[in-house]
Amino acid sequence: FRKAKRIIRTLLFSALAIALLAVGLVFVAPHFISAEDLKDKALAQVERATGYRCRIDGPVNVSVFPSLDLVARDVGIARPDQEGTAEFAKVGTLRFGLVLRSLLAGNVQFTEITLRDPILKLPLPETAESRSGEASNEGAAKRQRLSINKLIIHNGTVILPQRDGEPGDQITTLNAEAELPSANGPLTFNAVAKYDGDAISMKGKI
């Protein structure tokens, strides 16, 4: 009986220590993790892998509970070969899920990317056609290192290309999830939206 009591007491003290450590991490870690540093590394990785120019004009925050996330607001993405401020994508809130062990090693690995209230203008740029074969191979090699377990879109808007000078149609209230664990693996997706007032849904694997 005494042995059982000692075991239970040890377990309780261990659980309390872990709980206190977790609470301390939640409240203290943001003061030691530089959001600007994380932002620079995340954007640099995206730009190296895709070639697109990214900007973040809103605030950037780091949260560590229930997961390690980098949250940015007022985000824009532009074509690599287009000067000025023209952007084909704008996002109200962008959340990056990060892997702690990779972060401690000086790398940025995404577990999940969530876009809230994004506006996407099609057609998307095809950077491969505007580059030489060597540059295309280099870009492909960089994309091999970009791993995103899941991409989530909430309340998205897709603006289709203009036709005969008329404004393009819009896909609205887009909610979608896509998974691409590796660049060589299949892309699976599931989405619902509205097009011309009609509800549509689609899912598949590429």
Side-chain angles (χ1 to χ4, degrees):
F1 180 74
R2 291 181 179 178
K3 185 177 181 180
K5 287 177 62 178
R6 287 198 300 269
I7 294 175
I8 293 174
R9 186 183 297 112
T10 301
L11 290 174
L12 288 175
F13 280 127
S14 299
L16 179 60
I18 294 173
L20 291 175
L21 179 62
V23 172
L25 180 63
V26 168
F27 289 100
V28 177
H31 298 287
F32 293 94
I33 299 177
S34 169
E36 287 298 321
D37 186 47
L38 286 180
K39 179 188 73 172
D40 293 341
K41 288 182 177 180
L43 291 184
Q45 183 169 345
V46 171
E47 290 182 357
R48 284 196 303 268
T50 65
Y52 300 149
R53 292 185 290 112
C54 303
R55 64 147 182 92
I56 297 180
D57 287 345
V60 178
N61 305 105
V62 177
S63 63
V64 295
F65 183 82
S67 59
L68 180 61
D69 297 324
L70 175 66
V71 181
R73 292 173 175 81
D74 190 6
V75 180
I77 304 175
R79 294 172 56 115
D81 57 348
Q82 190 169 8
E83 298 180 355
T85 59
E87 297 174 336
F88 71 84
K90 295 182 180 180
V91 185
T93 301
L94 177 60
R95 182 177 68 84
F96 296 97
L98 302 170
V99 178
L100 180 59
R101 63 179 179 272
S102 297
L103 194 63
L104 295 176
N107 301 317
V108 177
Q109 179 182 352
F110 302 128
T111 59
E112 183 179 297
I113 296 181
T114 301
L115 294 78
R116 290 189 178 276
D117 304 319
I119 300 176
L120 310 175
K121 296 181 180 180
L122 297 183
L124 295 176
E126 298 179 358
T127 58
E129 295 182 358
S130 61
R131 299 179 180 177
S132 65
E134 182 180 354
S136 298
N137 292 334
E138 181 182 358
K142 291 176 180 178
R143 285 190 289 273
Q144 298 297 320
R145 298 194 293 268
L146 183 61
S147 173
I148 304 173
N149 290 343
K150 182 178 291 187
L151 172 67
I152 299 175
I153 298 176
H154 291 293
N155 192 35
T157 299
V158 179
I159 302 176
L160 302 179
Q162 295 184 356
R163 291 183 300 180
D164 300 327
E166 296 294 329
D169 294 333
Q170 294 189 9
I171 298 174
T172 59
T173 61
L174 171 64
N175 294 285
E177 289 190 10
E179 296 186 9
L180 183 64
S182 67
N184 291 327
L187 167 69
T188 59
F189 63 91
N190 191 348
V192 294
K194 286 187 177 180
Y195 176 69
D196 195 22
D198 296 327
I200 59 174
S201 63
M202 48 195 158
K203 61 180 178 179
K205 178 184 294 187
I206 302 174

